[in-house]
Amino acid sequence: MRNDLVKYLHRGWVCELIYLSKAGEISKRKVKLLGVEADIFYAYCFKQKAKRTFRIDHLLALSPLLQQERGAV
Protein backbone atom coordinates (compact mmCIF):
# COMPACT_ATOMS: atom_id res chain seq x y z
CA MET A 1 0.00 0.00 0.00
CA ARG A 2 2.89 2.35 0.81
CA ASN A 3 4.28 1.96 -2.73
CA ASP A 4 0.91 2.99 -4.20
CA LEU A 5 0.80 6.04 -1.92
CA VAL A 6 4.25 7.15 -3.10
CA LYS A 7 3.35 6.55 -6.76
CA TYR A 8 0.09 8.51 -6.53
CA LEU A 9 1.81 11.30 -4.58
CA HIS A 10 4.47 11.74 -7.29
CA ARG A 11 1.80 11.77 -10.00
CA GLY A 12 -0.25 14.38 -8.12
CA TRP A 13 -3.44 12.34 -8.29
CA VAL A 14 -6.51 12.81 -6.14
CA CYS A 15 -7.37 9.48 -4.53
CA GLU A 16 -10.26 7.80 -2.82
CA LEU A 17 -9.52 5.76 0.27
CA ILE A 18 -11.28 3.62 2.80
CA TYR A 19 -9.85 4.14 6.25
CA LEU A 20 -10.25 2.59 9.69
CA SER A 21 -10.14 5.18 12.49
CA LYS A 22 -8.67 4.65 15.97
CA ALA A 23 -12.24 4.29 17.22
CA GLY A 24 -12.87 1.43 14.78
CA GLU A 25 -15.06 3.44 12.41
CA ILE A 26 -14.70 2.97 8.65
CA SER A 27 -14.87 6.02 6.42
CA LYS A 28 -14.57 6.71 2.70
CA ARG A 29 -12.67 9.87 1.76
CA LYS A 30 -11.34 11.77 -1.23
CA VAL A 31 -7.85 13.10 -0.58
CA LYS A 32 -4.93 14.88 -2.22
CA LEU A 33 -1.71 13.26 -1.03
CA LEU A 34 0.86 15.65 0.45
CA GLY A 35 3.58 13.39 1.87
CA VAL A 36 4.49 9.84 2.83
CA GLU A 37 6.77 8.76 5.68
CA ALA A 38 7.64 5.37 7.16
CA ASP A 39 4.22 4.47 8.60
CA ILE A 40 2.11 7.60 8.11
CA PHE A 41 0.96 9.79 5.26
CA TYR A 42 -0.32 13.32 5.01
CA ALA A 43 -3.20 14.38 2.81
CA TYR A 44 -5.72 17.13 2.27
CA CYS A 45 -9.09 15.57 3.07
CA PHE A 46 -11.94 17.03 1.03
CA LYS A 47 -14.48 15.62 3.50
CA GLN A 48 -12.96 17.45 6.49
CA LYS A 49 -11.66 20.36 4.37
CA ALA A 50 -8.34 20.16 6.21
CA LYS A 51 -4.88 18.61 6.14
CA ARG A 52 -4.90 15.29 7.98
CA THR A 53 -2.42 12.66 9.10
CA PHE A 54 -3.27 9.00 8.43
CA ARG A 55 -1.66 5.74 9.51
CA ILE A 56 -0.74 3.48 6.60
CA ASP A 57 -1.65 0.36 8.59
CA HIS A 58 -5.21 1.71 8.98
CA LEU A 59 -5.64 2.14 5.24
CA LEU A 60 -8.06 -0.51 3.95
CA ALA A 61 -8.27 0.50 0.26
CA LEU A 62 -6.78 3.14 -2.02
CA SER A 63 -7.47 4.04 -5.65
CA PRO A 64 -6.80 7.05 -7.87
CA LEU A 65 -9.84 8.93 -9.13
CA LEU A 66 -10.59 9.19 -12.82
CA GLN A 67 -10.41 12.66 -14.38
CA GLN A 68 -14.20 13.21 -14.37
CA GLU A 69 -14.41 12.07 -10.72
CA ARG A 70 -11.67 14.54 -9.72
CA GLY A 71 -13.76 17.42 -11.05
CA ALA A 72 -16.57 16.51 -8.67
CA VAL A 73 -14.35 16.99 -5.61
Side-chain angles (χ1 to χ4, degrees):
M1 198 73 74
R2 186 181 188 288
N3 291 338
D4 289 336
L5 285 166
V6 171
K7 178 173 61 175
Y8 300 155
L9 170 66
H10 289 301
R11 292 181 180 174
W13 290 347
V14 172
C15 298
E16 187 168 72
L17 59 85
I18 298 176
Y19 190 77
L20 179 65
S21 74
K22 288 181 192 177
E25 298 172 357
I26 295 174
S27 65
K28 184 176 179 181
R29 301 165 182 251
K30 289 181 184 177
V31 300
K32 171 75 171 164
L33 298 170
L34 303 173
V36 179
E37 292 185 7
D39 52 356
I40 61 173
F41 66 98
Y42 306 98
Y44 178 83
C45 176
F46 293 98
K47 180 179 179 180
Q48 298 292 327
K49 296 183 174 80
K51 292 180 185 177
R52 306 296 297 244
T53 301
F54 298 92
R55 291 181 47 151
I56 294 174
D57 63 343
H58 284 220
L59 189 57
L60 303 176
L62 174 72
S63 64
L65 293 177
L66 300 175
Q67 188 65 35
Q68 66 264 27
E69 292 172 322
R70 289 182 207 155
V73 175

